[in-house]
Amino acid sequence: MAREIGKNAIDSLTGVTPLMFDDSFRAQMDLPSKVVINDITLREGRQIEGTILTKEECVKVADILINDLNVPMIQMVGGYNERDTDYLRTVSRFVEESGKPVRMEAMTSAHQNFPRFNQAQLLDTISNIGDAGFGVVICLAASDNMLKGCAIHRGQNDISIADLRQQEIDIGVAAIQHARKCGMTEVNVNFQDFLRADQEYLRKFSRAVVEAGAGMITLDDFGGGLAIPRLYTELFRQVKKVVPNTALGVHAHNSAGLAVASALASVEGGCEMITVGVNGYGDGAGHVSLAETVYSLEYLYGIDTGINIERLRPSSVLIADMMRQHLPIMAPLVGDNAFVLIADKHHSFPEYPFLFTPMRPELVGNRYRPGFGERAGPFGLRIHAASLGFSIPDDKIQPLLKAMEEHMRWHKRKITDIEFRELADSVGVPGALA
């Protein structure tokens, strides 16, 4: 049986406002019928400072993504050297043995990279990626600044912008055609810095790569925080008009905390693929969070992603441990405290579970519990005591609150379950230590 999502999940699984599914409101958006989740943890996640994963660890991450989460598409990087290619080959073999129809692409921008900075290096890298069993996503410069920066490395300082733009189009077309000749079925492009691109050039470039055989175009914001999400919606609409039969994707960065909002705004403009990562791991401030994106698509937009949503928190915790990264306790949906409520008022309406939380925590593999601080009170105390198997008499509520406040005043951390029992016992709560 298909799980309830979107409008059908309201009041049973989520507290989403029905206004999200008002026909007149949704008519303002160009929502696609499907959005592909393309997880790039095995690329961006390996760009966290100090992180070097072994091949075995990469396979374990792939196992979590494919078998636990049911991710339909993954992205890596490689083809630049034998080590990279070996990692691609190892993960490709694992995916093939899993028997799941997972789409695989490896990102390359080899014509922009040391040492050669040219088309020949790009084509060689694409061949290596194909030999490793992956498809390819080819990074191409969309903004004039990126074009001019690459020109400096090539000693092309005197070439006009018009000629640099045409050169990049020619390189992109040649790379796509080469990838097709290599027998790749997944041949995509990534337009870098699309927000600052000349929009007529961007549309011309889009038509050219589609005519050459590109299967999907990803628009990459290159830094994040360069525009409000609404602009993503409009630019996706414009590109979609010139390549209506080609899937568009978005790669958004979280430098200013707008990655998920920008990705969702792109979907409202017709975007059909979002690059995401477990916990949003990546360069700098990271990029689009897998958990937040899946929740939003399924329950705010009603788009079935196919992700095993109940595995989101367990997967987030395991991959955080593998990458030796601290998972913030307040991380939305998957953090330890994502559904921990302190103010006692938040526990006083049990008949209306979505007043203060958007969803049932177990939906994403998390749990609700009362937390304790200055605003603790009788409702939270009773709920927590009941979860530990005892009850608190009315005349013991205030003594216990005072004992807990004194404890937290000096310890400066949350109270453990053992400490909660001991404090309850110290004020005479019967059965607290049983």
Side-chain angles (χ1 to χ4, degrees):
M1 180 184 295
R3 66 170 178 258
E4 292 181 323
I5 63 172
K7 186 176 182 179
N8 293 331
I10 294 176
D11 291 335
S12 59
L13 298 176
T14 77
V16 171
T17 172
L19 294 175
M20 276 299 303
F21 299 94
D22 179 81
D23 289 341
S24 62
F25 175 65
R26 291 175 74 86
Q28 301 172 42
M29 300 182 278
D30 297 324
L31 294 175
S33 60
K34 180 181 180 181
V35 176
V36 174
I37 297 297
N38 183 3
D39 192 284
I40 62 176
T41 303
L42 284 171
R43 181 180 69 80
E44 281 274 1
R46 291 161 64 195
Q47 293 175 202
I48 300 173
E49 186 175 22
T51 297
I52 297 180
L53 297 183
T54 66
K55 284 192 294 185
E56 292 75 17
E57 288 169 333
C58 285
V59 167
K60 181 59 178 176
V61 172
D63 182 28
I64 295 168
L65 297 177
I66 294 166
N67 293 317
D68 280 10
L69 290 167
N70 198 39
V71 165
M73 186 173 186
I74 62 172
Q75 182 188 104
M76 293 183 69
V77 66
Y80 296 101
N81 53 53
E82 182 52 38
R83 178 181 178 275
D84 285 343
T85 305
D86 190 33
Y87 272 53
L88 290 178
R89 191 178 295 113
T90 300
V91 172
S92 174
R93 189 180 306 117
F94 170 79
V95 172
E96 182 179 356
E97 291 172 353
S98 76
K100 293 198 170 184
V102 177
R103 298 168 63 184
M104 299 180 293
E105 64 177 14
M107 177 177 279
T108 179
S109 56
H111 66 301
Q112 303 169 347
N113 292 358
F114 178 86
R116 288 185 279 168
F117 299 97
N118 62 20
Q119 177 177 306
Q121 182 169 261
L122 175 61
L123 300 187
D124 289 344
T125 304
I126 291 172
S127 295
N128 294 338
I129 290 171
D131 291 343
F134 264 69
V136 68
V137 55
I138 304 157
C139 292
L140 299 165
S143 71
D144 290 348
N145 284 345
M146 185 62 182
L147 288 167
K148 289 186 287 188
C150 291
I152 292 171
H153 288 298
R154 297 178 188 135
Q156 297 177 326
N157 304 53
D158 298 329
I159 295 181
S160 69
I161 284 295
D163 287 342
L164 288 175
R165 289 175 182 174
Q166 187 58 51
Q167 177 179 260
E168 193 75 353
I169 291 175
D170 293 341
I171 289 173
V173 168
I176 293 164
Q177 292 173 342
H178 180 74
R180 291 298 183 190
K181 288 179 182 177
C182 290
M184 293 182 176
T185 56
E186 197 74 53
V187 180
N188 306 316
V189 299
N190 176 295
F191 284 155
Q192 302 163 307
D193 205 12
F194 83 98
L195 291 168
R196 292 177 289 201
D198 177 271
Q199 293 303 299
E200 181 54 42
Y201 166 61
L202 186 66
R203 291 189 288 271
K204 177 182 177 181
F205 209 165
S206 298
R207 286 189 291 264
V209 297
V210 168
E211 290 171 3
M216 179 166 58
I217 297 172
T218 296
L219 302 183
D220 182 343
D221 67 11
F222 229 39
L226 305 175
I228 62 172
R230 177 67 177 169
L231 185 60
Y232 289 68
T233 305
E234 294 305 316
L235 295 184
F236 268 84
R237 282 174 171 158
Q238 291 178 23
V239 175
K240 195 66 176 175
K241 286 178 182 178
V242 299
V243 287
N245 299 318
T246 300
L248 300 182
V250 63
H251 180 50
H253 296 79
N254 205 39
S255 306
L258 294 171
V260 173
S262 299
L264 296 175
S266 301
V267 170
E268 293 177 15
C271 173
E272 295 146 289
M273 184 278 288
I274 302 177
T275 60
V276 302
V278 176
N279 303 326
Y281 289 149
D283 260 349
H287 60 112
V288 179
S289 159
L290 167 66
E292 294 168 41
T293 302
V294 170
Y295 165 77
S296 297
L297 288 175
E298 299 230 348
Y299 297 105
L300 299 181
Y301 294 91
I303 298 173
D304 187 355
T305 64
I307 300 299
N308 293 331
I309 194 168
E310 72 281 358
R311 298 299 300 167
L312 286 172
R313 173 172 156 79
S315 299
S316 292
V317 171
L318 178 53
I319 288 181
D321 289 345
M322 288 177 62
M323 293 189 169
R324 295 182 174 86
Q325 296 298 311
H326 174 65
L327 180 61
I329 62 173
M330 291 185 290
L333 304 177
V334 297
D336 284 349
N337 279 22
F339 298 96
V340 174
L341 304 178
I342 304 295
D344 202 50
K345 176 181 179 180
H346 295 166
H347 308 295
S348 62
F349 302 94
E351 301 85 0
Y352 303 97
F354 304 120
L355 277 179
F356 301 103
T357 58
M359 60 185 293
R360 295 193 181 278
E362 57 270 22
L363 200 60
V364 293
N366 212 330
R367 69 186 184 100
Y368 154 82
R369 68 172 176 82
F372 301 111
E374 294 184 87
R375 304 292 299 280
F379 289 97
L381 288 187
R382 289 194 174 100
I383 291 171
H384 193 56
S387 73
L388 298 177
F390 65 96
S391 59
I392 305 173
D394 290 347
D395 64 340
K396 300 299 181 183
I397 291 291
Q398 290 305 317
L400 178 54
L401 285 172
K402 289 181 180 179
M404 291 171 64
E405 184 173 342
E406 182 67 12
H407 182 92
M408 289 184 286
R409 176 186 173 195
W410 299 108
H411 286 275
K412 309 296 184 184
R413 58 167 173 78
K414 73 177 184 180
I415 293 174
T416 68
D417 288 349
I418 291 175
E419 290 168 337
F420 183 79
R421 287 180 180 276
E422 290 173 343
L423 289 168
D425 180 71
S426 72
V427 299
V429 175
L433 293 180

